[in-house]
């Protein structure tokens, strides 16, 4: 549909025609040189039309056009292609797609990633419903989506719980897998330290799931390479399907250690893949001297020192602030209750922990922390800052922090720069504020931790009262001290990488190259050689990214690898090793979870079908209230003077008039 709109009244259009006619009449009224009346009218009409249109275009007329488009209903088919899917469903889904006449059908496969089209291979290492469903919401927002079909067993192991997603479309599930419950025991997860010092112990928190029909026993063993380092007989009961085992192991071998946690299979157990779990711990040989400087005695000193004394790699000295010593002989200095900062500490680069930190300490070390003192003292309950990632917290430590007694601090208001990382925050009820209890900042390359609170000795006593050990208290300050005491390399060539990669992750290695003035440069080529345990080498070249270097070696097979990075034209090189660990999430449970599929269908307004009644799903989609075309009306406005063919017509008219006038000798 077309129409013309004018900002002026319609009679202005009539006026344009009159002006055009008057102009043409005045030009040709005497008719000199015109041989016939017919030629006169042709010239008159041509000039009238030309002038009228030109004046009309000056009025800025707008042409309106209306377009109608029909949007078909959309059906999206998603196939779970993770390892836990054993059913062959691709052919049925392709038939369903071809049978959906009158629909626009899009097909995807998903597991830990999302792919277009239907994959016949079920090789995904994880199942993530939320990423797939949220991607559909984003890509088809405001589209005519009649429904989303998911073919899956209902077992997801990563991402958001799909029950808490807000759906804009009905989800129809094709339930796959076996819902029968079989006898099974397995290692569900293991929490451990990434790093341990040689000669120390480190904890493993082993989560074990079970499904047994009578009381049974099985042997749990832990192996470091081919050496058995732990053994325990576990009892499994029908009424108990989950338990945690806490184990402490000795760090006896330097390097990246692979520990295999294994539970012997029960008689008649089908799923044996979840009976074995691999854990990786990097053991380093590093001896450190730690100096505690105090002004007065305080029970917090003894509480903190008890943590360090358990670490064989630490030699701890306690000195008064007025004693004579060389602070540069230590790898970590801890201040307790020292009001005035000694000058030798301000000029040093040794990492610091400052207990009872106050405004003068922040000012002396050039910190980005500001503190305004108010009157009185403040009692503070603690909570972990979830954004802090310098070291991890075990579940036991997190539970302990929730229950721990309040700490004390001078009442006041903090102002923090974003470079200050808060470890623990103040908690009041369910609200967690930005008020810091422990914080870390790197100041001119020096790591400093400020602890403006006291009363930590109460935490240590409380830990023992509820756990009969000091493990949780020790973990907090052991990890804080370990982070500060580990030195950053000062080499001219530095390579950073993970000691462990998942088998589905790309192997990404970064490098930095410095000149003699420790300025970043990238004017040289760097070669990377990765070799597996069989001696097979893979050669890569670092690419330059701004002032740094990067290699993405892609995905590699599960196993151990060594590497060497060499800077061409120099003697600089860096060696290291890493492990690629197998992802075992899809083997943890082989029992289909159709209840989840039913909940998703109920929430979204869909239904659950089975592989043998896909025809009912087709009928449901065809009869759905969402199966309707949507007509979109689009109105387009365009200035008439911008239409090229109108200008072309005017050019032809004026050319015709000029030719006739020339031919008849009028010009």
């Amino acid at each position: 549909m077309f129409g013309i709109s004018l900002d002026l009244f319609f009679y202005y259009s009539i006026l344009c025609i009159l002006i055009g006619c008057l102009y043409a009449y005045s030009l040709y009224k005497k008719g000199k040189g015109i041989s016939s009346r017919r030629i006169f009218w042709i010239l008159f009409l041509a000039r009238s039309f030309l002038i009228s249109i030109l004046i009309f275009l000056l009025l800025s007329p707008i042409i309106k056009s209306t377009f109608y488009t029909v949007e078909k209903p959309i059906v999206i088919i998603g196939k779970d292609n993770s390892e836990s899917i054993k059913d062959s469903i691709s052919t049925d889904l392709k038939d369903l797609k071809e049978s959906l006449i009158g629909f626009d059908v899009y097909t995807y496969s998903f597991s830990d990633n999302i792919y277009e089209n239907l994959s016949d291979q079920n090789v995904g290492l994880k199942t993530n419903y939320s990423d797939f469903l949220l991607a559909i919401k984003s890509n088809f927002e405001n589209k005519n989506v009649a429904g989303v079909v998911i073919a899956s067993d209902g077992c997801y192991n990563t991402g958001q719980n799909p029950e808490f997603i807000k759906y804009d479309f009905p989800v129809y599930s094709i339930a796959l897998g076996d819902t029968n419950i079989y006898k099974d025991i397995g290692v569900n997860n293991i929490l451990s330290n990434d790093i341990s010092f040689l000669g120390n112990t480190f904890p493993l928190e082993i989560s074990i799931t079970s499904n047994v029909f009578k009381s049974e026993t099985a042997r749990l063993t832990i192996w470091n390479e081919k050496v058995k380092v732990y053994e325990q007989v576990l009892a499994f009961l029908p009424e108990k399907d989950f338990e945690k085992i806490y184990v402490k192991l000795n760090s006896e071998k330097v390097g990246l250690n692979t520990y295999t946690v294994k539970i012997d299979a029960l008689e008649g157990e089908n799923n044996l893949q979840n009976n074995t779990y691999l854990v990786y711990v990097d053991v380093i040989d590093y001896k450190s001297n730690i100096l505690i400087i105090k002004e007065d005695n305080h029970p917090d000193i003894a509480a903190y020192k008890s943590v360090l004394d358990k670490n064989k790699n630490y030699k701890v000295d306690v000195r008064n602030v007025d004693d004579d010593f060389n602070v540069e002989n230590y790898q970590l200095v801890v201040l307790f209750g020292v009001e005035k900062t000694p000058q030798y500490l301000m000029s040093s680069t040794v990492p610091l922990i400052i207990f009872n930190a106050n405004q003068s300490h922040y000012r002396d070390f050039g910190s980005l922390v500001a503190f305004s003192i108010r009157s009185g003292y403040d009692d503070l309950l603690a909570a972990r800052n979830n954004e802090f990632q310098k070291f991890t917290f075990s579940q036991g430590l997190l539970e302990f922090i929730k229950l721990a007694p309040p700490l004390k601090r001078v009442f006041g208001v903090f102002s923090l720069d974003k470079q200050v990382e808060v470890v623990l925050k103040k908690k009041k009820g369910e609200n967690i504020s930005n008020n810091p209890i422990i914080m870390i900042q790197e100041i001119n390359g020096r790591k400093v931790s400020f602890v403006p609170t006291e009363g930590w000795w109460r935490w240590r006593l409380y830990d023992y009262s509820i756990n009969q050990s000091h493990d949780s208290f020790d973990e907090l300050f052991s990890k804080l001290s370990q982070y500060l005491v580990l030195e950053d390399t000062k080499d001219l060539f530095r390579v950073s990488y993970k000691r462990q990669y998942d088998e589905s992750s790309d192997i990404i290695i970064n490098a930095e190259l410095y000149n003699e003035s420790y300025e970043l440069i990238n004017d040289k080529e760097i070669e990377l050689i990765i070799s597996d345990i069989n001696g097979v080498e893979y050669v890569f070249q670092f690419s330059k990214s701004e002032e740094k270097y990067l290699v993405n070696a892609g995905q590699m097979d599960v196993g151990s690898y060594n590497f060497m990075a060499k800077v061409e034209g120099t003697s600089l090189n860096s060696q290291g090793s890493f492990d690629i660990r197998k992802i075992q999430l899809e083997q943890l449970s082989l029992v289909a979870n159709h209840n989840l599929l039913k909940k998703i269908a109920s929430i979204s307004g869909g239904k659950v079908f089975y592989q043998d009644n896909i025809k009912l799903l087709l009928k449901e989609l065809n009869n759905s209230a969402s199966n309707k075309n949507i007509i979109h009306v689009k109105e387009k406005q365009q200035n008439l003077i911008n239409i090229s063919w109108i200008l072309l017509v005017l050019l032809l008219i004026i050319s015709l008039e000029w030719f006739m006038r020339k031919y008849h000798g009028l010009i």
Side-chain angles (χ1 to χ4, degrees), residues 467-486:
N467 298 318
Q468 284 69 55
S469 73
H470 302 114
D471 290 348
S472 295
F473 179 83
D474 291 351
E475 178 186 345
L476 174 62
F477 284 103
S478 176
K479 289 186 173 181
L480 176 65
S481 302
Q482 178 175 297
Y483 167 72
L484 293 168
V485 81
L486 289 176

Side-chain angles (χ1 to χ4, degrees), residues 383-389 393 421-425:
R384 178 198 178 188
N385 175 20
N386 292 325
E387 296 179 359
F388 179 77
Q389 301 294 331
F393 289 62
E421 298 191 74
V422 178
V423 184
L424 296 181
K425 294 182 174 183

Side-chain angles (χ1 to χ4, degrees), residues 501-613:
Y501 296 90
D502 290 337
E503 60 177 312
S504 64
S505 301
D506 288 345
I507 311 302
I508 297 176
I509 299 177
N510 296 281
E512 295 179 349
L513 184 63
Y514 294 82
N515 59 21
E516 297 297 332
S517 300
Y518 282 97
E519 297 170 328
L520 275 173
I521 58 174
N522 65 350
D523 57 353
K524 299 184 182 300
E525 300 298 324
I526 301 178
E527 184 181 65
L528 175 69
I529 302 174
I530 299 177
S531 57
D532 61 20
I533 56 175
N534 297 318
V536 179
E537 293 186 346
Y538 307 88
V539 180
F540 302 89
Q541 200 74 17
F542 277 88
S543 60
K544 299 174 182 179
S545 175
E546 295 179 354
E547 294 180 327
K548 299 184 180 181
Y549 295 85
L550 179 143
V551 159
N552 185 341
Q555 298 178 8
M556 293 184 170
D557 294 334
V558 173
S560 299
Y561 295 82
N562 296 314
F563 74 82
M564 173 177 282
K566 297 185 293 184
V567 181
E568 293 184 1
T570 73
S571 60
L572 298 174
N573 65 76
S574 178
Q575 301 181 49
S577 61
F578 59 85
D579 271 31
I580 300 177
R581 61 182 180 184
K582 184 173 181 59
I583 296 177
Q584 298 173 262
L585 293 176
E586 290 296 314
Q587 288 76 43
L588 294 180
S589 176
L590 301 183
V591 180
N593 183 7
H594 291 177
N595 286 331
L596 177 68
L597 301 179
K598 292 175 182 178
K599 289 179 181 178
I600 296 174
S602 175
I603 294 168
S604 65
K607 290 184 179 180
V608 176
F609 299 86
Y610 293 89
Q611 190 170 357
D612 57 358
N613 60 5

Side-chain angles (χ1 to χ4, degrees), residues 66-69 631-635:
T66 304
F67 301 93
Y68 298 92
T69 57
I631 299 176
H632 297 278
V633 180
K634 184 178 181 181
E635 188 177 86

Side-chain angles (χ1 to χ4, degrees), residues 183 185 216-219 262-272 275:
K183 180 190 295 186
I185 56 175
E216 299 200 42
T217 59
R219 189 172 53 124
K262 183 178 180 181
I263 302 180
D264 291 346
L266 299 176
E267 183 178 354
E269 184 180 358
N270 292 326
N271 180 21
L272 303 182
N275 289 43

